[in-house]
Amino acid sequence: MQQLKREGPFTHPVKVLQFGEGNFLRAFVDWQIDLLNERTGLDAGVVVVRPRSNPTLPLLDTQGGVFTTLIRGLNEQGEAVKEYRKITCVQREIDLADSYADYLELAASPDLRFVVSNTTEAGIAINDEDAYDDLPPASFPAKLTRFLHERYARFEGAADKGLVLLPCELIDYNGAALKAAVQHFAQLWQLGEGFGNWLDQACTFCSTLVDRIVTGYPQTEIAEIEKELGYRDTFLVTAEYFYLFVIQGPQWLADELKLDGAGLNIQLVADITPYKQRKVGVLNGGHTSLVPVALLAGLKEVGEAVADPVVGQYLLKTLDEEIIPALPLPREELDPFAADVLRRFRNPYIHHRLESIALNSWSKFAARVLPQILTYQKANGHLPKRLVVALAATMLLYRGHLITLSDDAANLEWFKMAWARFGERRWSFHDVALNWLANEALWGQDLNHIPGFTAALTDELTRIDLEGITKVIATL
């Protein structure tokens, strides 16, 4: 079978420098750039930089930069769809271990305008060891600072040669974090006041929110997929139908990216905070509320849980009656997003195991669910009963009988102690609830001071233990 190759010359001017060759950027950013090129005439080529050298992995150049995306899931009408697309916007991939000069030369390109990155959550980090003359420096921010200074020098500080930076790392306010990291190396290397001013005035560091499940190379399905395509593609990548790209940046960026009429789910906003709250509350909070309940009910996967008549109804009512009312956004924005989330959970092409989502449940619960519990209680004068059930179910899950638990060592040790005391009848459910709610290191406060919380949690622990989770949530 023929290997995928580029057909014809590469014609787009290179406007995008991309740090990261991984599945996510290729099925998210490159996919969107390719569609913008087709639909709006953005006419943007991409050069990919491999942040960490790995000579054992082939470069995208072996296929002329071309690769295939397979997007599949449930569309807005709830229908299962899938679509193949050849992504042609990537010109080449650079490994800095042997192409550092090419990398620096790209800084002199007058067409270059954007930098995107996804170097993992640990990628935006600083040190005092990277040097300006390293070939290349080790860290991503140091590599980027060296590139930006090269551009500043080549164009003699011209204001119109600044770049727009769109980091996609999964950290809060990633644009501000990346700018601070670049400023660190600019000061460490004593690159001067002029360069510092150019970073401030000519470059635009945007914080972003990215959302798409990218499942990567479909190893178990590749033979069937290649038969459908009629060619081999070493870099084929699969992803879900849903995607969202929120950019906190100036409005003129919409014109530069040619967003008008693109029909893409790219939102340019003045403040990214509400969109982060929506994602954390509805998507992440929905997951965290569902997982322990579904596991106690004997279910294994997210899709199976949502399809279950009792557990699925529990999730629907939890979102509709307890999570969404506690979020600081209008329902006309939250309800469509929640509908998207439920379609994503039902995606027949993604088999998302509940046990894998249960990793580090307690830090997730504190960040994703507790804020809605507290907001709901303050607004209504009583606790949200389903979210309290989710808390009780998580505690019972940490008995360790159903799944292999993976969490902070202190949390695991606490529950080992607590359930041992319960088994020895030295503690009651009330004692377990009282002492866990008092964990200020986790919750940021003693939750026993919230009116009715200790009693409500004790009741739900008792009910689930006596009646089983299915009967409890069916009678809420």
Side-chain angles (χ1 to χ4, degrees):
M1 187 175 289
Q2 184 179 356
Q3 186 78 21
L4 178 63
K5 296 280 188 181
R6 180 177 297 279
E7 299 174 2
F10 187 84
T11 58
H12 299 298
V14 174
K15 296 182 180 179
V16 182
L17 179 66
Q18 175 176 308
F19 285 88
E21 79 287 0
N23 290 323
F24 180 78
L25 285 183
R26 290 191 291 113
F28 185 76
V29 169
D30 296 335
W31 179 83
Q32 291 179 80
I33 290 172
D34 209 69
L35 286 168
L36 286 167
N37 286 344
E38 177 186 284
R39 296 177 181 179
T40 71
L42 178 65
D43 195 24
V46 180
V47 169
V48 174
V49 174
R50 184 172 290 190
R52 291 169 297 279
S53 179
N54 189 339
T56 65
L57 292 178
L59 296 169
L60 281 163
D61 296 41
T62 59
Q63 295 185 175
V66 181
F67 62 93
T68 310
T69 56
L70 170 54
I71 308 302
R72 51 192 182 175
L74 300 182
N75 65 12
E76 290 78 5
Q77 290 72 46
E79 303 163 335
V81 294
K82 69 175 185 177
E83 180 183 77
Y84 293 106
R85 182 179 184 85
K86 286 183 183 177
I87 306 301
T88 62
C89 61
V90 177
Q91 182 201 50
R92 62 177 298 199
E93 180 184 348
I94 293 175
D95 188 331
L96 298 187
D98 54 25
S99 301
Y100 190 58
D102 291 355
Y103 167 70
L104 292 182
E105 191 59 35
L106 188 62
S109 169
D111 296 317
L112 191 68
R113 184 58 175 147
F114 302 99
V115 176
V116 298
S117 64
N118 185 25
T119 56
T120 77
E121 295 90 314
I124 302 180
I126 60 173
N127 61 62
D128 293 334
E129 287 73 48
D130 280 328
Y132 184 88
D133 294 328
D134 287 347
L135 304 173
S139 70
F140 159 55
K143 291 181 177 79
L144 176 60
T145 306
R146 180 65 181 87
F147 182 89
L148 291 172
H149 188 257
E150 185 75 16
R151 186 169 181 82
Y152 167 79
R154 294 286 190 106
F155 291 104
E156 299 179 341
D160 64 344
K161 293 299 184 288
L163 300 178
V164 177
L165 296 103
L166 302 167
C168 298
E169 286 80 3
L170 298 178
I171 60 173
D172 284 341
Y173 303 101
N174 45 24
L178 183 57
K179 183 175 183 178
V182 168
Q183 289 173 328
H184 166 83
F185 286 106
Q187 293 169 6
L188 179 69
W189 297 340
Q190 300 180 358
L191 298 182
E193 183 179 357
F195 177 60
N197 290 336
W198 185 78
L199 289 175
D200 274 333
Q201 298 165 16
C203 294
T204 304
F205 290 78
C206 299
S207 288
T208 71
L209 173 67
V210 299
D211 192 3
R212 172 173 254 177
I213 297 172
V214 175
T215 45
Y217 187 77
Q219 187 70 51
T220 61
E221 306 170 80
I222 194 62
E224 179 184 345
I225 289 171
E226 287 178 346
K227 182 182 285 188
E228 291 181 1
L229 290 172
Y231 59 80
R232 288 195 180 94
D233 182 355
T234 306
F235 296 95
L236 188 143
V237 57
T238 59
E240 68 170 329
Y241 179 84
F242 177 88
Y243 68 98
L244 173 65
F245 195 7
V246 184
I247 302 170
Q248 180 176 297
Q251 280 303 306
W252 52 256
L253 194 54
D255 293 331
E256 287 215 30
L257 288 170
K258 296 188 181 296
L259 298 183
D260 188 34
L264 295 178
N265 199 13
I266 303 174
Q267 300 182 31
L268 185 64
V269 301
D271 182 7
I272 206 168
T273 304
Y275 299 88
K276 295 175 76 69
Q277 292 173 325
R278 183 180 70 175
K279 178 178 182 287
V280 170
V282 177
L283 173 63
N284 303 131
H287 257 157
T288 302
S289 303
L290 171 68
V291 166
V293 169
L295 283 168
L296 290 183
L299 305 173
K300 302 297 183 185
E301 294 184 353
V302 171
E304 178 190 16
V306 178
D308 183 88
V310 178
V311 176
Q313 189 69 11
Y314 157 82
L315 176 62
L316 283 171
K317 289 186 175 294
T318 300
L319 289 171
D320 185 57
E321 298 178 11
E322 299 184 2
I323 291 178
I324 287 176
L327 292 170
L329 288 166
R331 285 206 75 121
E332 55 265 29
E333 291 188 26
L334 292 168
D335 286 342
F337 184 76
D340 282 333
V341 165
L342 290 169
R343 280 193 295 272
R344 298 172 75 184
F345 286 0
R346 295 188 184 105
N347 189 341
Y349 298 105
I350 296 178
H351 302 285
H352 207 165
R353 290 185 59 78
L354 296 163
E355 183 171 347
S356 67
I357 308 173
L359 176 73
N360 296 320
S361 290
W362 287 115
S363 60
K364 291 175 180 177
F365 200 100
R368 301 171 175 182
V369 181
L370 179 63
Q372 278 61 258
I373 292 178
L374 299 180
T375 301
Y376 184 100
Q377 193 277 337
K378 187 174 181 180
N380 297 282
H382 61 270
L383 289 157
K385 52 189 176 183
R386 293 180 184 85
L387 293 181
V388 174
V389 166
L391 174 58
T394 309
M395 294 173 70
L396 290 167
L397 187 66
Y398 272 60
R399 278 178 164 175
H401 302 328
L402 286 178
I403 64 171
T404 301
L405 297 168
S406 181
D407 208 312
D408 180 82
N411 293 335
L412 294 174
E413 190 60 33
W414 191 91
F415 277 102
K416 182 179 178 181
M417 173 274 298
W419 290 123
R421 290 185 180 182
F422 180 85
E424 296 162 359
R425 299 188 178 183
R426 295 164 57 199
W427 273 15
S428 64
F429 279 126
H430 174 80
D431 295 315
V432 177
L434 180 76
N435 284 278
W436 189 237
L437 291 178
N439 186 348
E440 295 189 34
L442 175 65
W443 308 121
Q445 59 179 296
D446 184 343
L447 294 179
N448 291 290
H449 297 315
I450 306 298
F453 208 162
T454 315
L457 182 57
T458 301
D459 287 347
E460 298 305 344
L461 287 168
T462 305
R463 290 182 64 210
I464 295 170
D465 188 60
L466 289 175
E467 302 173 21
I469 190 67
T470 303
K471 185 174 181 180
V472 168
I473 61 174
T475 56
L476 284 173

